[in-house]
Amino acid sequence: MKTSASSLYRTLRQRLGAWYDREARDLPWRRDVSAYHVLLSEVILQQTRVDQGMSYYHRFTEAFPTVYDLATASEDEVLLLWQGLGYYSRGRNLRRAAQIIVSDFGGELPRTLEELSRLPGVGPYTRGAILSFAYNLPFPTVDGNVYRVLSRLFALSDPIDTGAGQRVYWQLAEELLDREHPSRHNQALIELGALCCTPRSPHCPECPVQEQCEGYRRGIAETLPIKQGKTRVRPRYMYYFLVRLGEAGTTSRLLRRRGAGDIWQGLYELPLIEGGEEPLSTETLLAHPRLSALLRQLRAPRLHPQPRARAKHRLSHQQLYAELYLIEAEGLMPSSEEEEQPWLLIPEAEQERYAMPVLLTRLLEEAED
Ligand code: SF4
């Protein structure tokens, strides 16, 4: 049994490696391989398609050619470049990781799992990617593509979203690893998942390991991998207020930086009333104490009670529904109320210097059409 498994693994390694040499996409982080580039590309590409991630990768390497440049950048600079990618904590962690690489590792990414685990936002997959892709060290790595390919190749029904199930796949990836060519092997599995063994309608007739694929042989490939539980997606209703202050041509807007403990930490946004999991009726919204408090801070405010724009946005665990309302006012009152975060008065022309959630930029674009 052991012999047949090792001969199967040998065949798979050979076929995957040869296929990767022929078919691998020419991607910028594969052209100019360094541990810093692997870190950048892997953090950017988490939850992001390659075509979308590519422009962000170029932006980051141009703005921060070395880890030292990223380490000394301000959080605002990083978030502004990150704008639109979502999962903003990844951008903040990337900058923190660069700072630790500079302060604790002399500006070079470490070469051990233990040391890499000290970098925020660098999980098991990224650690394995840095060690194998950049340093060609014999470590497996398993991302969503690899879970899918392995579960189909070996017809595994272990769920990929439980700790016990994930251990099965990591163990298998370790056994299957091509220890002579770990970089090529790991990237081949990922590339196969991206190009050939796609989530829906896998291209089995063109697959280099079709003959060895148990999922294909049993006709169950498309039913794999198995996920045990679906995460509940919570609806969240949000009401934004575009406060225009001053005369046309010299108008400013009120913005505020979001604090910690929720989505979009460190991004900027307009005054917001949260409705929770249920929509607010117009009467409830217009009588809301936070809206009254906002209006009290404005000189001669005029609230337009019809929404100027509506937008939806899906996050991993939340479905956001947002509306944008317009308030015009002559200026700000000298406020005696202590706000948890001070308002910034931003000239309209300078708004794009402040990183905002995509949902809000969409609302603003729609309102200004
Ligand atoms: Fe995936 Fe089909 Fe290849 Fe099996 S034969 S690994 S299911 S593409």
Side-chain angles (χ1 to χ4, degrees), residues 238-259:
M238 309 172 90
Y239 302 89
Y240 280 109
F241 293 86
L242 169 58
V243 182
R244 278 205 178 119
L245 299 169
E247 303 293 322
T250 58
T251 47
S252 297
R253 292 175 173 187
L254 286 190
L255 287 186
R256 170 180 283 174
R257 200 157 198 259
R258 282 181 71 90

Side-chain angles (χ1 to χ4, degrees), residues 139-205:
F139 287 90
T141 196
V142 182
D143 73 345
N145 286 312
V146 179
Y147 279 121
R148 187 168 60 256
V149 169
L150 292 182
S151 88
R152 290 173 176 177
L153 260 180
F154 294 90
L156 296 178
S157 55
D158 303 79
I160 61 168
D161 57 348
T162 65
Q166 288 171 354
R167 278 193 289 283
V168 171
Y169 291 92
W170 277 87
Q171 177 65 35
L172 178 58
E174 168 91 49
E175 287 165 19
L176 182 61
L177 182 67
D178 182 341
R179 297 184 162 267
E180 285 173 32
H181 307 286
S183 172
R184 181 180 74 166
H185 173 86
N186 284 341
Q187 294 192 76
L189 278 171
I190 293 167
E191 196 75 339
L192 190 75
L195 299 183
C196 196
C197 196
T198 45
R200 263 169 250 126
S201 312
H203 312 292
C204 303

